[in-house]
Amino acid sequence: MKNWKLLSIMFILVIFVLAACGGENSNKEEENSSSNTKTAEEGSDDASSAYPMTISPTVGASENRDGSESYTFDEITFESKPKNIVVFDYGFLDTLDALGVEGIVGVAKDSTLPEHLEKYAGDEYASIGTLKEPLLEDIAALDPDVIFISGRQAPYYEQLKEITPNVVFVGAVQEDYWNTFLASVDIAAKMFEKEAEAEEYLAKFDAALEEVKNLAGNYETSLVTMYNEGNLSGFSTNSRFGYVYDVYGFQPVTEDIESSSHGSNFGFEAILELDPEVLFVIDRTAAVGGESNIDKDLENDIIKQTVAYQNDRVVYLDGPLWYLSGGGLQSELAKIEEILAELK
């Protein structure tokens, strides 16, 4: 009897030990399963990351104004999101600012910053020179992860690549201004993971463009000109301001104007002869910090004979905005809004 009781007790103890071991193994399996799940999730995050990312320039090549030199721009593959950002192009700086991108360390402060970008004149942003003359040593000292350039810096492309191979051409070009502007926005949105912000901002353009196109339909002819120290240049559809016609919907008074970044020389008599209903005038002199006499020079006896003047449709456009800071989300929307405000 005693042996039977002893055997029963030993049997119960064995069952208890086996159960405890099974529970411990089960807990370990759960811990391992949880750990594996966490690792898989972390791996999934890494796999879904936008980087590495290959960025194409807004155009593959460009040439200087007289066509004597040409420049070719490379695609760049980034292994991670840039943290130290150097920006020459004011339009791209405008877009980065609109999207709330952080990490800008250097801008071209020694040229005339557009008014809406004045905060970048502060001491927290290093000067990298002018739009036409980079301070190469100062840029190198910033140890940039990326340098964004446009046409004015193209001659320095190879020298900038010696500082970092990550030099990206983001300029909007005369031959396809609007599409290259949109391409630059796409570059900023993808590189800095701001696609949602960019879509929200671009939605504002839809309403503004519809409104300006409706307004443009009220006029049969128009002409975009640029004032520079007493002289005028004219621009048609195949020019740097061709989007006023192609995108905004204004009809050019003539398409027989030589394509040039600074327009074709245009005398006051030529404007009277063409006699557009709307005359747009961009003040380049004011844009580059000169002393402008645009009112005195433009409101002469010849211009006063034009239909545009007599109907109060000589539209003076903001020089810095149109000449220097175009190609950005804020500046391009501001251009449309300026025309709407002047002609409504």
Side-chain angles (χ1 to χ4, degrees):
M1 187 71 173
K2 290 180 179 179
N3 291 338
W4 180 83
K5 289 182 177 179
L6 180 62
L7 288 172
S8 298
I9 293 170
M10 290 178 64
F11 180 73
I12 292 170
L13 287 173
V14 168
I15 292 174
F16 180 78
V17 170
L18 290 174
C21 290
E24 184 177 336
N25 288 337
S26 176
N27 289 337
K28 287 182 179 179
E29 287 175 2
E30 287 178 4
E31 289 176 4
N32 290 337
S33 175
S34 175
S35 176
N36 290 338
T37 300
K38 185 177 180 181
T39 302
E41 288 175 352
E42 289 174 351
S44 177
D45 289 342
D46 291 340
S48 65
S49 173
Y51 288 87
M53 177 188 296
T54 299
I55 295 295
S56 299
T58 50
V59 294
S62 71
E63 58 183 30
N64 62 3
R65 289 175 185 166
D66 62 9
S68 61
E69 292 186 55
S70 60
Y71 315 98
T72 302
F73 310 113
D74 301 325
E75 284 188 341
I76 307 294
T77 297
F78 292 86
E79 296 300 324
S80 60
K81 185 193 304 184
K83 295 181 179 179
N84 283 359
I85 305 165
V86 165
V87 191
F88 276 98
D89 184 70
Y90 288 161
F92 198 73
L93 177 63
D94 172 315
T95 293
L96 296 179
D97 183 68
L99 297 180
V101 173
E102 298 180 350
I104 297 169
V105 295
V107 299
K109 292 165 58 173
D110 295 342
S111 288
T112 305
L113 276 165
E115 185 175 345
H116 70 288
L117 299 176
E118 276 294 323
K119 74 177 188 181
Y120 293 100
D123 293 340
E124 61 268 43
Y125 304 100
S127 174
I128 56 173
T130 69
L131 293 174
K132 292 184 178 181
E133 296 183 5
L135 296 173
L136 298 173
E137 291 184 2
D138 293 21
I139 296 169
L142 295 172
D143 193 23
D145 298 317
V146 63
I147 301 173
F148 293 110
I149 69 167
S150 53
R152 291 181 176 93
Q153 302 85 47
Y156 293 90
Y157 180 62
E158 295 299 332
Q159 289 172 273
L160 291 169
K161 284 177 65 178
E162 293 176 6
I163 297 172
T164 174
N166 301 332
V167 180
V168 183
F169 186 92
V170 292
V173 298
Q174 174 178 314
E175 297 80 7
D176 193 13
Y177 184 89
W178 195 255
N179 287 326
T180 47
F181 152 61
L182 293 177
S184 74
V185 173
D186 188 57
I187 289 172
K190 286 182 176 178
M191 286 188 67
F192 300 102
E193 299 173 302
K194 297 286 186 178
E195 288 95 340
E197 291 85 346
E199 286 182 14
E200 182 179 350
Y201 212 105
L202 286 171
K204 300 177 184 178
F205 281 83
D206 295 335
L209 284 172
E210 182 178 356
E211 189 174 0
V212 79
K213 286 177 182 178
N214 290 335
L215 179 64
N218 296 328
Y219 310 105
E220 294 185 2
T221 59
S222 64
L223 177 64
V224 179
T225 63
M226 185 164 64
Y227 170 85
N228 185 23
E229 297 181 351
N231 298 312
L232 282 181
S233 301
F235 297 85
S236 190
T237 53
N238 58 346
S239 70
R240 67 186 294 181
F241 301 114
Y243 55 89
V244 174
Y245 311 111
D246 302 333
V247 179
Y248 297 179
F250 288 92
Q251 295 299 312
V253 70
T254 179
E255 294 190 14
D256 189 23
I257 300 177
E258 182 183 356
S259 176
S260 169
S261 61
H262 282 85
S264 179
N265 289 335
F266 234 69
F268 299 127
E269 292 82 0
I271 292 176
L272 178 58
E273 183 178 349
L274 293 170
D275 206 13
E277 287 188 51
V278 181
L279 178 64
F280 296 106
V281 187
I282 299 163
D283 191 349
R284 180 185 181 277
T285 303
V288 297
E291 185 174 342
S292 177
N293 294 311
I294 190 169
D295 292 336
K296 179 181 177 181
D297 290 338
L298 261 292
E299 297 187 14
N300 56 54
D301 292 339
I302 298 174
I303 296 298
K304 285 180 179 180
Q305 297 178 57
T306 64
V307 170
Y309 182 88
Q310 292 172 3
N311 291 326
D312 196 26
R313 291 173 188 153
V314 177
V315 181
Y316 294 101
L317 299 174
D318 183 82
L321 173 64
W322 285 76
Y323 184 70
L324 289 178
S325 66
L329 281 171
Q330 297 172 86
S331 58
E332 290 304 327
L333 186 59
K335 289 177 182 179
I336 300 171
E337 291 173 342
E338 182 177 27
I339 288 179
L340 290 171
E342 292 291 334
L343 288 178
K344 284 177 68 174

